[in-house]
């Protein structure tokens, strides 16, 4: 019997950097600076060098990263923030947490990223409802950056700030710009399953804005001013653990080679599946870090497809089975223009295959064969 296939193989990465990681963690254990220890500043400097952002503010997780920016921007009740409906809840959750209103915008079916036509409609919806539009949060879904040039022009024209949600795309690039230097700021997550993930929760904010960076550093530690017990604003406990910073320092060292490997894995999938499935393509001038490798099952029964792959020992996942506008906590919030039909259609079609830098062609061949067999089976049933 063949070995089980991992959806994301963190053990393979662990085997590669095990001893260096052990030493890094032990250093923290021995020096005892568990909160805001020296590794935190080192990691922030390493991130800055990697992507080119002037300021990097590490934090406890990707959701806190988003929330801290909204707090720094003073987003409040009566404000509206435009964001895609086809994404993880955290993007809209933080808007609701500051008592503002998320306006759900549709995405493009080829990239899964924000649709400019729907964005324009979302702005009109916000104004029609008497809300004050203040910003846009595009999401770089599955590792591919959104098309930022028209979004930037839109934000400039309308006087809106732009926060890029790069929880899945850190390490990617857009037309010669690395993720982290686009917009007023960029946020990311270091959740273990992300392309650059730690051994727990972690996140970061990237910006070239000196004033914003100063406010964010204050918010991260309970709104402190010049010293610990001088609290000049309402803040939060948003610090990144020193232990996670130590882990991420070691992982960032191998990150460039892992990005290359992810791209090879995705290309191999595309070359072998393009003739039988709707595969994800990367537009000219972009790079992706392939947080997920996602097919579209239009015309196929997704549940049956997943069951057939499971029987063949191939794990799959669905990101996301419901767009935010259909979820219980968010369905009362406004939707742009004529709705988000593409988001709703994609939610019923998408399915993700195993994706990580340590997938061998031998294992990919097993996955590809299982995908093709499942599709052939459904075509035969449909023809009968």
């Amino acid at each position: 019997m063949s070995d089980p296939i991992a959806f994301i193989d963190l053990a393979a990465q662990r085997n590669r950097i095990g001893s260096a990681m052990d030493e890094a963690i032990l250093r923290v254990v021995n020096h005892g600076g568990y909160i805001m220890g020296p590794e935190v500043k080192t990691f922030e400097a390493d991130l800055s060098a990697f992507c080119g952002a002037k300021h990097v503010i590490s934090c406890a997780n990707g959701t806190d990263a988003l929330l801290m920016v909204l707090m720094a921007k003073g987003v409040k009740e009566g404000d509206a923030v435009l964001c895609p409906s086809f994404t993880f809840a955290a993007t809209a959750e933080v808007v609701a947490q500051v008592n503002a209103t998320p306006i759900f915008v549709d995405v493009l079916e080829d990239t899964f990223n924000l649709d400019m036509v729907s964005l324009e409609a979302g702005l009109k919806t916000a104004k029609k409802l008497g809300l004050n539009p203040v910003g846009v949060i595009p999401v770089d879904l599955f590792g591919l950056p959104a098309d930022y040039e028209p979004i930037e022009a839109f934000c400039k024209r309308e006087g809106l700030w732009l926060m890029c949600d790069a929880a899945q795309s850190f390490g990617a690039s857009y037309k010669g710009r690395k993720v982290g230097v686009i917009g007023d700021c960029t946020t990311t997550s270091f959740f273990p399953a992300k392309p650059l993930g730690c051994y727990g929760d972690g996140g970061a904010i990237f910006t070239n804005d000196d004033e914003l960076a100063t406010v964010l550093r204050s918010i991260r530690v309970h709104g402190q001013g010049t010293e610990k017990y001088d609290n000049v604003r309402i803040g939060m406990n948003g610090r990144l653990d020193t232990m996670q910073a130590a882990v991420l320092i070691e992982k960032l060292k191998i990150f460039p080679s892992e990005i290359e490997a992810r791209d090879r894995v995705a290309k191999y999938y595309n070359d072998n599946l393009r003739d039988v499935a709707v595969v994800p393509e990367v537009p000219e001038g972009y790079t992706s870090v392939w947080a997920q490798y996602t097919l579209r099952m239009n015309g196929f029964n997704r549940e049956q497809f997943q069951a057939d792959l499971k029987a063949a020992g191939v794990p799959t996942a669905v990101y996301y089975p419901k767009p935010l506008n259909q979820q219980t906590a968010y369905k009362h919030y406004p939707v742009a223009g004529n709705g988000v039909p593409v988001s709703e259609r994609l939610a019923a079609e998408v399915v993700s295959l195993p994706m990580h830098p340590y997938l061998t062609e031998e294992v990919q061949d097993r996955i590809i064969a299982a995908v093709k067999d499942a599709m052939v089976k459904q075509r035969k049933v449909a023809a009968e």
Side-chain angles (χ1 to χ4, degrees), residues 6-245:
F7 189 74
I8 298 173
D9 194 349
L10 295 177
Q13 184 194 60
R14 167 74 180 151
N15 291 337
R16 177 180 176 185
I17 58 174
S19 59
M21 189 66 75
D22 292 347
E23 291 168 11
I25 292 171
L26 194 56
R27 277 195 297 273
V28 178
V29 172
N30 289 333
H31 71 53
Y34 305 130
I35 303 295
M36 298 299 288
E39 284 81 1
V40 173
K41 280 193 176 181
T42 299
F43 177 54
E44 290 176 345
D46 290 350
L47 286 175
S48 178
F50 179 87
C51 73
K54 183 177 179 182
H55 299 285
V56 178
I57 300 91
S58 62
C59 59
N61 54 69
T63 307
D64 279 1
L66 293 163
L67 180 57
M68 286 167 60
V69 173
L70 296 186
M71 292 171 69
K73 293 285 188 183
V75 180
K76 61 190 182 303
E77 187 173 0
D79 290 342
V81 178
L82 304 162
C83 63
S85 185
F86 192 57
T87 183
F88 183 62
T91 311
E93 178 182 37
V94 293
V95 179
Q97 283 178 335
V98 295
N99 296 315
T101 302
I103 306 284
F104 292 122
V105 174
D106 212 355
V107 298
L108 299 166
E109 58 185 343
D110 56 345
T111 65
F112 310 128
N113 284 332
L114 197 147
D115 177 11
M116 281 304 304
V117 173
S118 186
L119 184 63
E120 295 278 4
L123 182 69
K124 291 178 182 176
T125 297
K127 290 179 177 178
K128 185 178 179 181
L129 292 170
L131 297 167
N132 175 39
V134 293
V136 180
I137 312 179
V139 178
D140 300 339
L141 208 66
F142 304 149
L144 179 71
D147 187 4
Y148 278 108
E149 286 181 355
I151 298 171
E152 288 172 312
F154 171 86
C155 289
K156 184 177 181 181
R157 185 191 83 206
E158 299 296 336
L160 308 176
W161 48 255
L162 171 61
M163 171 166 57
C164 309
D165 184 342
Q168 300 180 26
S169 68
F170 185 71
S173 63
Y174 170 79
K175 297 186 177 181
R177 290 187 284 169
K178 287 190 174 182
V179 166
V181 297
I182 302 168
D184 295 84
C185 60
T186 297
T187 65
T188 198
S189 167
F190 302 123
F191 182 78
K194 302 299 184 186
L196 179 62
C198 53
Y199 286 171
D201 272 319
I205 306 162
F206 307 84
T207 186
N208 290 332
D209 184 328
D210 296 346
E211 185 178 344
L212 179 60
T214 298
V215 174
L216 287 167
R217 291 190 179 102
S218 169
I219 288 172
R220 175 175 62 177
V221 190
H222 302 287
Q224 74 177 24
T226 54
E227 52 93 16
K228 184 175 181 180
Y229 298 111
D230 173 30
N231 300 298
V232 298
R233 57 179 56 83
I234 302 298
M236 63 192 295
N237 180 3
R239 301 169 298 210
L240 177 69
D241 286 349
T242 308
M243 201 78 76
Q244 301 304 338

Side-chain angles (χ1 to χ4, degrees), residues 335-353:
V335 175
N338 295 321
V340 287
V342 175
S343 296
E344 291 171 358
R345 185 164 68 250
L346 289 174
E349 293 179 354
V350 293
V351 62
S352 297
L353 302 180

Side-chain angles (χ1 to χ4, degrees), residues 13 16-17 195-196 251 254-263 289 356-358:
Q13 184 194 60
R16 177 180 176 185
I17 58 174
L196 179 62
K251 288 200 176 192
I254 63 168
F255 192 41
S257 67
E258 289 189 334
I259 293 171
E260 290 179 7
R262 284 176 175 276
D263 208 48
V289 287
H356 58 82
Y358 303 97

Side-chain angles (χ1 to χ4, degrees), residues 299-302 304-305 374-383:
F300 291 87
N301 182 318
R302 183 172 65 190
Q304 185 60 54
F305 175 83
M375 289 182 158
V376 167
K377 177 182 172 183
Q378 288 201 31
R379 287 194 180 103
K380 281 183 178 178
V381 170

